Amino acid sequence: MSSLFRGEEMQLCQIYFKSEVAYSCVSQLGEMGIVQFKDLNENVNAFQRKFVNEVRRCEEIERKLRYIEKEAVKEEVELDEADQTCDAPKPKDMITLEAKIDQLEHDLVEVNTNKDALRKNYLELIELKHILVKATQFFEEADNFSIYNRPETHEYETEDEHVTLLMSERNRSPFAIGFLAGIMNRDKVSSFELMLWRFCRGNVFLKTADLTELVEDVTTNTLQAKTVFIIFFQGEQLKNKCKKICDGFKATIYPCPETLKERREMLNGVSMRLDELKTVLDQSLNLRRSILVNAAQSIKTWFAQVHKMKAIYHTLNMFSHDQKSIIAECWAPKSEINRIREILDLETKKIDMNFQTIVHFITSKEAPPTFNRVDKFTSGFQNIVNAYGVPSYREINPTPFYAITFPFLFGVMFGDAGHGLLMLLAAGYLIKKENYLKKAIKGNEIFELFFGGRYIMFLMAVFSIYAGFLYNDFFSKSTNIFGSKWKVTLGKDFPFEDIQQFTLNPDPYANETYKMYSGTPYPFGIDPVWQLATNKITFTNGLKMKFSVIIGIMQMVFGLVIGLKNHLFFRRKISILFEFIPQIIFISLIFVYLCLMIFIKWIKYAGTDDKLTGACAPNILLELINMFFLKDGTVTVVDGEKKYDECKRLYPGQHHIQMVFVIVAVLCVPVMLFTKPLLKLREHNKRTKYGSRFRGHVNPLSVNGHSSDEDDKHDKAERMGHTSNSVINLEDDAELENEEHFEFGEVFVEQTIHTIEYFLGCVSHTASYLRLWALSLAHAELSEVLWTMLFKMGLNMAPPVGAFVMFFIFSAWGVITIGILCVMEGLSAFLHALRLHWVEFQSKFYKGEGYEFMPFSFEKILNEAELAE
């Protein structure tokens, strides 16, 4: 919790490795995931670094693994999960792994090549078989037709069964008739026929026959509707034209014998070859599947090992190298330094017992990264904070406060117990099935967004239910759980039919006839009697508006208190005295006092005193305006004569106290505006005056060129609980502030902007919190309208028509409730709660000028690689 509340102390370390142990040491640091390495070779091209060849080898192995994985997915082979505990392979093991994957890829490529060739031959033979069958049918039909229609033969004329249509035609014509047989896509036949007719000028004859079954295409390997065609022509010139047209339409031409005997012999040969190819192809597919099944058991683990190995070499490329040793610089949490040393010593002794890896602390003016430890519950809130800005180093992290205030403000705006229950069920499902959904929604950005905020949704739902019970709203209807504290005690003879509305007597001390209020409030939330009141909106508006102001001012004051904690931690004396104190005085005398007036009004004008009724109660907004103008709100001028209305006075001496409050609050503005810049100027002049006397001289007591004053400065920082790197954050402590360029004009302008922003922001931010009331009102009224205009309409219908219509009305009501009131209104409330935290709350203490700690972690690298896939 301390790490989440305030980032961990970071230490800049310099590590001296021996070249032989650097790989294994970096591997263990990657498993730990608590070290962020710095790039010491920023000016060196990526292709000129020492381990660039090893990185390329890893990338080549990754390419081969992706190819194998793609083939396994295509074959629908289930891949085993990776062994996340596997270590990165040693450099000598890399050769074995690389050879194994190379051999696997080679075998798979060879099998795929043979399989593709066999499959191509198999598909071509199938097409040839269809062509031979259709061609035989066509020629038989033509021969039968010619025999049936030719004249009777003489007795001496003999018939040869091998005489075909083509032969008979050739005997009659001086020009030989040729033909081409082939197959093509069915959707191109009409265009093909038209093209043949035009280019050949009608001198060819085309015969087509559609195949009844789909045929797998040789090129695309997809099932397509095919058509067999035969083109008859005379002469070589027409033959060449027909071939060119076939090529243009991507039609495949196959050889087809002229005689029936030859066609039958070819058909038998094709059938035998198809059977043989089918057997060989099945064996090839079985061999391919067995290779992929064996690879599927290890491919994910190989991926993890290669990713780790590649990450190690990338990291080693960031180090400084010499002949015998490697130097690395890294940021690490101070609490983990001892564990890092133990791991490095252990890995070093495994290889060389006489050598020790050295971890040396170095001092730098560079701002350390911010490291806040989070878990799956707090990570969602931390992401919201980081979206605004990463906390500055050792600055208080708002995430722990977000975990309560963010869902609470959402619940104030979304307050309906019924809608909150629906959201709770959705969030509960996401939490219960988180292990399954984490894999199922991978790649879907919208669902990943909701899934990542499942715990935020859960808390928002809980606070929505809580606020719903406070407002006594359950799908816009009130519940009478504890029994109303109001009742109508009038007799039956009271003329209720003569009046349209009746005001209940709020006096708990009235006689039994007119006593309508028991004197004790409803135990929790708003009394359900307000659901029937005609002035319900007026009452709830005033209540929610005042609650919004009180909640907003409480949160802003809390932000100032957090800012004080930051000032105390960093020893910012000037900021405490001349920034925090004027701020807290101003907001207390004006806005905390405003909340105090609200409570006084609620208590004093409770309705128990006949003289102090709601009619004479002062308007809080007018009281605040009169306070700024130093006017007495109880005084009215009538005909030049002042009249005092003591009923409007909240407490004795109110006017004089308010005058003092306003004067003191106004005096806080110049104190905050001028004091801090002038004190900084004085300190700068003092340092300049005394520093110029010793400029150019070396302190004889200095060590390694560093003065004892500088050492004292670091020693003091250590005593304050900071590392030497934290000194850069102690900007307001004159004894620890670094001598940087100082420009009084810039400091004064910055302070002027900060002062104006704060004092005007107190007014605008207080008004901004009224969005809590506005969105709560809008949500309640939308729910009320949906009930009245839709659901109530179905309930008022008489059965059996009402029961039938109610089914559709309930469906529409459910869809609108979930789609608009839960999803859209929920998103609106979420965005407004986000704005209130980013602007109104965080502006009081949060800078957010840091950068996130990005450790070298195998777990993070593997997760990113998995998402990229």
Side-chain angles (χ1 to χ4, degrees):
M1 182 64 185
S2 59
S3 172
L4 183 64
F5 180 76
R6 193 187 295 278
E8 291 200 19
E9 281 190 74
M10 306 299 292
Q11 178 65 56
L12 182 60
C13 303
Q14 197 172 57
I15 306 176
Y16 293 86
F17 300 104
K18 194 174 182 179
S19 300
E20 292 81 0
V21 302
Y23 183 94
S24 58
C25 289
V26 172
S27 175
Q28 290 301 317
L29 292 176
E31 297 290 349
M32 294 173 64
I34 53 174
V35 171
Q36 176 179 330
F37 290 103
K38 295 179 62 178
D39 190 358
L40 303 180
N41 303 310
E42 293 181 347
N43 299 324
V44 179
N45 189 286
F47 299 100
Q48 297 175 345
R49 302 198 179 192
K50 185 172 183 178
F51 297 98
V52 64
N53 292 328
E54 284 77 4
V55 173
R56 287 175 177 172
R57 287 175 62 189
C58 294
E59 290 176 348
E60 180 64 16
I61 296 174
E62 283 183 343
R63 182 195 64 79
K64 294 174 182 178
L65 288 175
R66 283 194 296 268
Y67 169 73
I68 299 172
E69 183 184 31
K70 181 181 177 182
E71 293 298 317
V73 172
K74 189 186 299 183
E75 192 67 24
E76 297 181 354
V77 176
E78 186 176 356
L79 303 177
D80 293 350
E81 291 297 326
D83 182 11
Q84 300 292 343
T85 60
C86 63
D87 294 330
K90 303 295 183 182
K92 60 181 180 181
D93 297 333
M94 181 180 179
I95 301 174
T96 306
L97 178 62
E98 187 177 14
K100 185 186 297 185
I101 296 174
D102 284 344
Q103 184 62 40
L104 182 60
E105 186 210 21
H106 178 267
D107 294 343
L108 192 57
V109 169
E110 187 175 359
V111 170
N112 284 341
T113 303
N114 296 334
K115 185 259 302 180
D116 293 340
L118 290 172
R119 190 168 189 81
K120 182 179 181 183
N121 292 337
Y122 182 77
L123 296 177
E124 288 176 348
L125 288 176
I126 290 178
E127 291 184 346
L128 178 57
K129 182 180 178 180
H130 285 298
I131 290 173
L132 292 174
V133 171
K134 294 296 181 181
T136 301
Q137 292 176 359
F138 170 69
F139 283 119
E140 287 178 352
E141 291 175 0
D143 289 340
N144 293 334
F145 181 78
S146 63
I147 292 172
Y148 178 78
N149 290 284
R150 72 182 178 180
E152 295 181 358
T153 59
H154 297 285
E155 295 179 358
Y156 57 85
E157 293 178 342
T158 60
E159 296 184 10
D160 188 355
E161 63 176 357
H162 299 291
V163 176
T164 62
L165 175 66
L166 293 176
M167 290 182 178
S168 62
E169 291 297 331
R170 286 174 180 173
N171 294 332
R172 299 176 189 175
S173 173
F175 299 100
I177 297 178
F179 72 96
L180 294 174
I183 192 170
M184 67 184 305
N185 290 341
R186 188 177 300 172
D187 54 356
K188 298 180 180 180
V189 172
S190 57
S191 302
F192 179 68
E193 185 176 2
L194 181 61
M195 187 68 68
L196 280 174
W197 177 262
R198 288 183 176 178
F199 274 81
C200 299
R201 301 181 182 278
N203 293 320
V204 297
F205 176 72
L206 176 66
K207 176 67 176 179
T208 61
D210 295 337
L211 299 181
T212 56
E213 59 183 13
L214 297 178
V215 179
E216 188 172 351
D217 188 73
V218 178
T219 306
T220 61
N221 293 329
T222 57
L223 294 176
Q224 296 181 357
K226 297 278 189 174
T227 298
V228 174
F229 64 88
I230 301 178
I231 308 171
F232 295 94
F233 51 83
Q234 285 182 331
E236 287 295 324
Q237 187 176 3
L238 285 177
K239 180 180 179 181
N240 294 332
K241 285 187 177 181
C242 292
K243 284 186 175 181
K244 291 181 179 179
I245 294 173
C246 290
D247 292 339
F249 281 86
K250 295 182 179 180
T252 307
I253 299 175
Y254 290 94
C256 182
E258 295 182 358
T259 64
L260 177 61
K261 182 179 180 180
E262 292 175 347
R263 285 196 296 271
R264 287 177 178 174
E265 290 176 354
M266 180 178 280
L267 184 59
N268 292 333
V270 168
S271 299
M272 293 177 61
R273 290 178 61 190
L274 281 174
D275 293 338
E276 294 173 356
L277 281 175
K278 183 71 168 60
T279 303
V280 177
L281 188 58
D282 290 342
Q283 293 176 352
S284 177
L285 292 176
N286 291 335
L287 177 60
R288 178 175 181 270
R289 184 171 182 83
S290 64
I291 293 174
L292 292 174
V293 168
N294 293 332
Q297 299 175 2
S298 306
I299 189 169
K300 290 289 187 181
T301 302
W302 290 341
F303 261 122
Q305 289 179 323
V306 175
H307 285 317
K308 289 182 178 182
M309 191 162 46
K310 181 181 175 182
I312 291 172
Y313 283 120
H314 269 304
T315 304
L316 290 174
N317 279 332
M318 300 168 64
F319 299 165
S320 176
H321 302 266
D322 56 25
Q323 294 181 352
K324 295 183 179 180
S325 63
I326 297 176
I327 302 173
E329 289 186 8
C330 63
W331 290 104
K334 196 172 182 181
S335 59
E336 300 285 352
I337 295 297
N338 291 333
R339 192 156 72 100
I340 293 172
R341 281 177 169 161
E342 291 175 1
I343 292 294
L344 294 178
D345 290 341
L346 181 63
E347 289 299 316
T348 303
K349 290 178 181 178
K350 288 180 180 179
I351 300 175
D352 189 347
M353 294 293 296
N354 299 322
F355 186 82
Q356 182 180 7
T357 300
I358 301 173
V359 180
H360 174 63
F361 296 164
I362 59 177
T363 304
S364 173
K365 292 184 179 181
E366 179 184 357
T370 299
F371 179 38
N372 298 109
R373 297 184 189 269
V374 295
D375 52 24
K376 62 182 181 180
F377 175 76
T378 57
S379 60
F381 295 103
Q382 187 66 58
N383 290 335
I384 294 177
V385 173
N386 291 346
Y388 176 85
V390 178
S392 301
Y393 178 63
R394 302 291 284 160
E395 181 182 26
I396 287 182
N397 183 20
T399 299
F401 315 120
Y402 266 57
I404 298 299
T405 59
F406 188 90
F408 174 74
L409 293 187
F410 176 89
V412 171
M413 293 181 280
F414 194 76
D416 189 293
H419 300 155
L421 181 62
L422 295 178
M423 184 180 292
L424 184 68
L425 294 175
Y429 175 79
L430 293 178
I431 293 173
K432 184 178 181 180
K433 300 289 185 179
E434 63 182 9
N435 294 328
Y436 166 75
L437 293 175
K438 190 179 297 183
K439 301 176 182 178
I441 65 174
K442 189 180 299 181
N444 192 319
E445 294 184 1
I446 296 178
F447 282 102
E448 284 182 348
L449 186 65
F450 282 99
F451 180 75
R454 59 194 180 279
Y455 291 100
I456 301 177
M457 287 178 57
F458 182 82
L459 288 179
M460 291 192 303
V462 170
F463 279 98
S464 297
I465 296 174
Y466 170 76
F469 281 115
L470 280 179
Y471 300 154
N472 207 344
D473 272 344
F474 189 87
F475 292 114
S476 80
K477 308 307 293 180
S478 295
T479 56
N480 193 8
I481 299 175
F482 304 104
S484 176
K485 301 302 179 181
W486 295 78
K487 61 181 180 179
V488 178
T489 57
L490 299 176
K492 297 181 179 179
D493 55 345
F494 188 82
F496 290 101
E497 63 277 1
D498 296 337
I499 59 175
Q500 294 183 349
Q501 63 181 18
F502 179 74
T503 303
L504 299 182
N505 184 12
D507 187 4
Y509 304 105
N511 57 46
E512 291 299 326
T513 304
Y514 296 99
K515 183 180 179 180
M516 301 178 184
Y517 176 53
S518 64
T520 58
Y522 194 70
F524 188 83
I526 298 176
D527 196 295
V529 74
W530 287 102
Q531 180 70 25
L532 306 174
T534 57
N535 61 338
K536 173 189 174 182
I537 295 179
T538 304
F539 168 73
T540 55
N541 271 359
L543 181 66
K544 292 179 179 180
M545 187 183 299
K546 293 178 177 65
F547 272 150
S548 300
V549 173
I550 294 171
I551 292 171
I553 293 173
M554 287 175 60
Q555 189 175 32
M556 289 192 293
V557 172
F558 181 61
L560 290 176
V561 174
I562 297 175
L564 174 62
K565 292 286 291 182
N566 275 333
H567 297 326
L568 292 172
F569 181 81
F570 293 122
R571 301 295 192 271
R572 296 170 179 165
K573 300 175 183 177
I574 297 177
S575 295
I576 295 173
L577 295 175
F578 303 106
E579 188 172 294
F580 168 76
I581 292 179
Q583 288 177 347
I584 196 67
I585 290 175
F586 179 84
I587 198 171
S588 299
L589 297 183
I590 303 297
F591 297 99
V592 175
Y593 175 70
L594 173 64
C595 298
L596 184 63
M597 287 195 294
I598 293 174
F599 284 110
I600 293 174
K601 180 179 178 180
W602 282 344
I603 296 171
K604 185 174 182 179
Y605 302 93
T608 57
D609 191 340
D610 293 337
K611 296 181 180 180
L612 300 176
T613 62
C616 73
N619 186 297
I620 298 297
L621 180 60
L622 292 179
E623 285 293 318
L624 187 64
I625 295 174
N626 290 332
M627 176 180 174
F628 277 108
F629 286 99
L630 304 179
K631 292 176 59 178
D632 189 352
T634 62
V635 177
T636 55
V637 179
V638 180
D639 298 331
E641 182 180 354
K642 293 182 179 180
K643 293 186 177 180
Y644 294 90
D645 188 357
E646 294 297 331
C647 180
K648 294 184 179 297
R649 192 180 300 280
L650 294 174
Y651 57 91
Q654 176 185 356
H655 175 59
H656 300 290
I657 293 175
Q658 289 181 169
M659 289 179 63
V660 174
F661 283 178
V662 171
I663 294 172
V664 174
V666 171
L667 292 177
C668 290
V669 177
V671 171
M672 183 176 173
L673 177 61
F674 297 108
T675 308
K676 187 175 178 180
L678 292 175
L679 288 176
K680 282 189 173 184
L681 178 62
R682 189 189 70 174
E683 294 297 331
H684 172 71
N685 293 334
K686 185 186 297 184
R687 288 196 304 272
T688 304
K689 178 179 179 181
Y690 290 102
S692 60
R693 298 181 182 179
F694 303 100
R695 190 169 299 153
H697 300 278
V698 178
N699 190 337
L701 299 178
S702 64
V703 180
N704 296 329
H706 297 286
S707 66
S708 59
D709 294 338
E710 190 171 329
D711 294 335
D712 292 341
K713 182 187 295 184
H714 295 308
D715 292 340
K716 184 171 182 179
E718 293 289 345
R719 290 196 302 272
M720 288 163 50
H722 311 288
T723 64
S724 57
N725 301 306
S726 304
V727 176
I728 57 172
N729 290 320
L730 311 179
E731 56 186 4
D732 291 321
D733 194 319
E735 296 180 356
L736 293 176
E737 187 174 10
N738 293 326
E739 293 188 14
E740 299 177 352
H741 172 72
F742 179 84
E743 183 64 42
F744 178 74
E746 294 178 2
V747 174
F748 185 76
V749 169
E750 180 182 355
Q751 186 66 20
T752 302
I753 295 173
H754 182 58
T755 303
I756 295 174
E757 179 186 12
Y758 175 78
F759 289 109
L760 293 183
C762 284
V763 179
S764 63
H765 292 173
T766 303
S768 181
Y769 275 97
L770 291 175
R771 69 184 69 238
L772 299 174
W773 152 68
L775 266 75
S776 175
L777 173 64
H779 187 80
E781 290 305 306
L782 279 175
S783 184
E784 180 74 23
V785 167
L786 185 61
W787 174 273
T788 305
M789 302 295 292
L790 191 63
F791 209 100
K792 190 175 180 181
M793 180 178 62
L795 293 176
N796 290 334
M797 291 185 179
V801 177
F804 177 75
V805 174
M806 190 64 193
F807 174 79
F808 298 97
I809 290 179
F810 179 79
S811 300
W813 177 81
V815 170
I816 295 174
T817 297
I818 295 175
I820 296 179
L821 294 181
C822 288
V823 177
M824 295 183 64
E825 283 284 307
L827 181 61
S828 175
F830 179 88
L831 294 176
H832 284 283
L834 192 65
R835 182 254 154 70
L836 289 175
H837 281 78
W838 278 1
V839 179
E840 280 72 22
F841 177 52
Q842 290 183 179
S843 64
K844 302 298 182 293
F845 68 95
Y846 189 65
K847 290 187 176 181
E849 297 174 349
Y851 63 97
E852 192 174 358
F853 177 63
M854 303 293 290
F856 172 64
S857 171
F858 286 150
E859 181 181 1
K860 184 177 180 180
I861 291 170
L862 294 179
N863 290 336
E864 291 177 352
E866 188 177 359
L867 291 175
E869 293 175 3

